[in-house]
Amino acid sequence: MTMSKPCGVRIAGVGSAVPDKRLTNADLASMVDTSDEWIVQRTGIKERRIIDRDAGESQCWLATESLRRALDDASMDAKDLDLIIHASVSSEMTCPSNACRVADNLDAGTTGAFDLIAACCGYVYSMNVADSLIRSGRHQAIGVIGCDAMSTLIDYTDRGVSILFGDAAGAAVLTRDEDPNRGCVYQVMEGDGRGWPSLFIPRNERDVPSGVSAPPTQLGCLRMDGREVYKFAVNKFREVIEDALSATGLSVDDVAQFVCHQSNMRIIESAKAKIGLPDEKVYVNIDRYGNSSSGSVGLCVDQLWKAGKINSGDTIIMVAFGGGMTWSSSVWNV
Ligand code: COA
């Protein structure tokens, strides 16, 4: 495809999917030495959703359902897409990408498809990449999915990790728009690889760096130094939001919603208090879904969209941080 005149990007539709099965704090308290009171006080989480593998549910199924719903919302068919970007740390296989499997599930025919790994930043990174590809003129319609089934990566004997995570997917269908001011008007995709030992999923014992302070868990399960991640996140979250506001010249009043990665209620509350963000502009669903990694921001966008709190003409700021360490923002004129 040849390069074309400047264009913008439209969010043509959004969707999300969560499993029906609930994992409550009481359930976890029956598995490890913890309590509802401790979890709510330290994280704000009351329950999370997890896939039921015995019922045939999978990470790929969640991803597929979210994009199916986004396509329905956009009144489009999967064959209209020329690219699918699927962000996850919990894909069943590395080959093929789950983007290809979603394309097959939705009968998309021939379409570009790849997976992107940026941990909890996956959805925001993918929205940034998709916006840039459409603006470049190389793609016209892209399906973006952020999806994680973190329950497949959790050692449920590790109380420092198991309490935080849940399974969810959020998707968006992005299309070329004639108005260049529509779409992503500012974006950040950054990271500091030196921080990777704070959060990782080792396949082999040799993947574990020497001197790592996170407790040992089963191979294939997430290891996390919660205190270290907390210290990093509580500052970085505020910095990323402040940077997005100052770089765009937007005030808090100009922004309809700050759509934040749902990592820990205390981290979100701290950023809100330091920047002075009003409650009604910072959506929180961590109490019901926990931290769903790549799924989290897309799930929030869908719920806000369906509730009429994100509308055409609004400006929104999406922000996330995660393993890597990575951090990201995306400012959109919807
Ligand atoms: N229930 C009860 N007690 C627990 C517990 C649990 N689920 N998990 C840890 N504890 C205990 C610890 O063993 C420790 O006990 P000690 O003082 O006797 O040693 C005590 O509680 C405090 O542990 P600490 O790890 O300092 O707690 P915390 O206040 O930092 O909260 C997290 C732990 C994981 C909730 C918090 O660090 C966090 O949210 N970090 C960020 C994680 C994150 O966002 N990750 C995703 C990045 S995208």
Side-chain angles (χ1 to χ4, degrees), residues 137-156:
R138 296 195 188 280
H139 289 274
Q140 306 284 319
I142 302 180
V144 169
I145 309 165
C147 174
D148 268 308
M150 295 305 287
S151 62
T152 63
L153 301 173
I154 298 299
D155 172 357
Y156 281 100

Side-chain angles (χ1 to χ4, degrees), residues 2-22:
T2 52
M3 304 291 278
S4 51
K5 65 176 183 159
C7 70
V9 178
R10 189 166 81 91
I11 300 177
V14 292
S16 66
V18 293
D20 288 337
K21 191 171 170 184
R22 290 175 156 79

Side-chain angles (χ1 to χ4, degrees), residues 316-329:
I316 63 168
I317 300 183
M318 297 180 271
V319 287
F321 69 90
M325 303 301 289
T326 51
W327 57 95
S328 188
S329 68

Side-chain angles (χ1 to χ4, degrees), residues 30-285:
S30 71
M31 296 153 78
V32 287
D33 182 13
T34 191
S35 65
D36 177 56
E37 190 191 3
W38 194 97
I39 300 172
V40 171
Q41 197 181 49
R42 302 286 176 125
T43 70
I45 302 168
K46 293 179 182 155
E47 62 178 32
R48 331 96 195 102
R49 302 296 183 92
I50 57 169
I51 56 170
D52 184 348
R53 283 189 268 186
D54 294 337
E57 294 176 354
S58 66
Q59 192 274 351
C60 194
W61 163 76
L62 262 188
T64 302
E65 287 312 303
S66 68
L67 184 56
R68 191 193 307 281
R69 290 169 193 176
L71 284 163
D72 284 349
D73 192 40
S75 301
M76 286 170 64
D77 188 89
K79 288 194 170 59
D80 299 330
L81 301 175
D82 54 24
L83 182 66
I84 295 173
I85 305 175
H86 166 261
S88 185
V89 295
S90 54
S91 292
E92 282 91 11
M93 294 184 268
T94 49
C95 183
S97 68
N98 262 2
C100 285
R101 294 181 64 206
V102 169
D104 181 37
N105 290 344
L106 295 177
D107 197 19
T110 54
T111 178
F114 66 87
D115 283 4
L116 180 154
I117 299 178
C120 300
C121 289
Y123 179 85
V124 181
Y125 262 56
S126 299
M127 291 290 279
N128 287 342
V129 170
D131 177 272
S132 303
L133 287 172
I134 291 174
R135 284 181 193 275
S136 78
R138 296 195 188 280
H139 289 274
Q140 306 284 319
I142 302 180
V144 169
I145 309 165
C147 174
D148 268 308
M150 295 305 287
S151 62
T152 63
L153 301 173
I154 298 299
D155 172 357
Y156 281 100
T157 66
D158 179 358
R159 68 178 181 170
V161 173
S162 60
I163 57 157
L164 288 173
F165 294 95
D167 304 346
V173 173
L174 307 181
T175 55
R176 182 188 163 88
D177 193 88
E178 292 313 310
D179 179 0
N181 295 318
R182 198 167 200 186
C184 180
V185 291
Y186 179 73
Q187 59 167 266
V188 164
M189 294 193 283
E190 289 178 351
D192 183 348
R194 290 169 296 185
W196 77 264
S198 298
L199 196 65
F200 61 101
I201 304 162
R203 290 220 174 107
N204 302 289
E205 212 42 66
R206 65 174 177 272
D207 296 337
V208 180
S210 60
V212 73
S213 58
T217 55
Q218 295 161 20
L219 290 173
C221 291
L222 180 68
R223 287 191 186 195
M224 182 182 72
D225 182 340
R227 267 181 226 186
E228 217 31 63
V229 176
Y230 190 90
K231 274 192 278 173
F232 160 82
V234 83
N235 294 320
K236 189 52 79 180
F237 223 42
R238 176 181 51 79
E239 280 170 31
V240 172
I241 296 171
E242 285 176 344
D243 167 72
L245 288 172
S246 76
T248 53
L250 292 166
S251 71
V252 170
D253 287 346
D254 297 325
V255 179
Q257 288 291 330
F258 295 82
V259 192
C260 300
H261 170 48
Q262 306 287 302
S263 54
N264 180 317
M265 191 61 202
R266 287 190 292 152
I267 295 172
I268 298 172
E269 286 296 344
S270 165
K272 262 172 68 183
K274 285 184 180 140
I275 306 170
L277 305 178
D279 286 350
E280 64 275 14
K281 292 196 176 194
V282 184
Y283 181 63
V284 171
N285 64 14

